[in-house]
Amino acid sequence: MVIVLMVMHRRFAVGYTIKRKVKKALQRQEIERIVSLTEFKSKAEETARDIWLLLFYCNEVNWKDLILLRWDDRVDNCFVITREKTKLTSRANPRPIRIPIIPRLQA
């Protein structure tokens, strides 16, 4: 998708083109392949896969929110957090995010 903007700069019209990438999601089979991986070239590769799975199982929570996640954030069988990105916005009442603690997160 391409968006063209016309901006008045002094006396001249300047055209800018902004190219937006279409977001693509992994197919279910691709996710299943990642989950079932057992052979890795290095410990770092295995750790990267584990972190990716953790983010995926936490409803694709942001990195910063994952790093700040604490056991004290548990309410019943969920983590309840406020995204760091929205804490400082002008919203009077930011909505908390609920992350269910599924069995795979407990492993």
Side-chain angles (χ1 to χ4, degrees):
M1 173 172 24
V2 176
I3 299 173
V4 178
L5 302 174
M6 294 300 292
V7 178
M8 293 303 294
H9 179 67
R10 296 186 186 170
R11 293 184 183 179
F12 306 100
V14 180
Y16 291 93
T17 302
I18 300 172
K19 294 182 181 179
R20 293 196 178 177
K21 295 181 181 179
V22 177
K23 292 184 179 183
K24 297 178 184 178
L26 293 175
Q27 298 295 317
R28 183 180 192 92
Q29 297 84 4
E30 293 170 315
I31 295 170
E32 289 170 354
R33 282 182 34 214
I34 293 170
V35 169
S36 64
L37 283 174
T38 56
E39 295 182 22
F40 303 95
K41 294 179 185 175
S42 66
K43 184 67 178 165
E45 192 175 83
E46 182 178 7
T47 301
R49 191 281 312 255
D50 292 344
I51 292 171
W52 185 90
L53 285 175
L54 180 59
L55 291 168
F56 177 74
Y57 291 140
C58 287
N59 294 333
E60 300 176 14
V61 70
N62 292 345
W63 273 98
K64 185 172 184 178
D65 296 326
L66 177 68
I67 290 168
L68 296 174
L69 190 65
R70 300 288 177 254
W71 281 110
D72 296 340
D73 297 330
R74 282 183 323 206
V75 176
D76 298 324
N77 200 27
C78 291
F79 289 108
V80 180
I81 62 170
T82 302
R83 289 185 63 198
E84 285 296 312
K85 183 177 178 178
T86 58
K87 276 187 180 177
L88 301 176
T89 62
S90 59
R91 289 184 178 175
N93 195 9
R95 232 173 39 196
I97 304 294
R98 297 181 66 80
I99 303 169
I101 302 174
I102 62 173
R104 289 191 179 184
L105 278 176
Q106 296 174 10

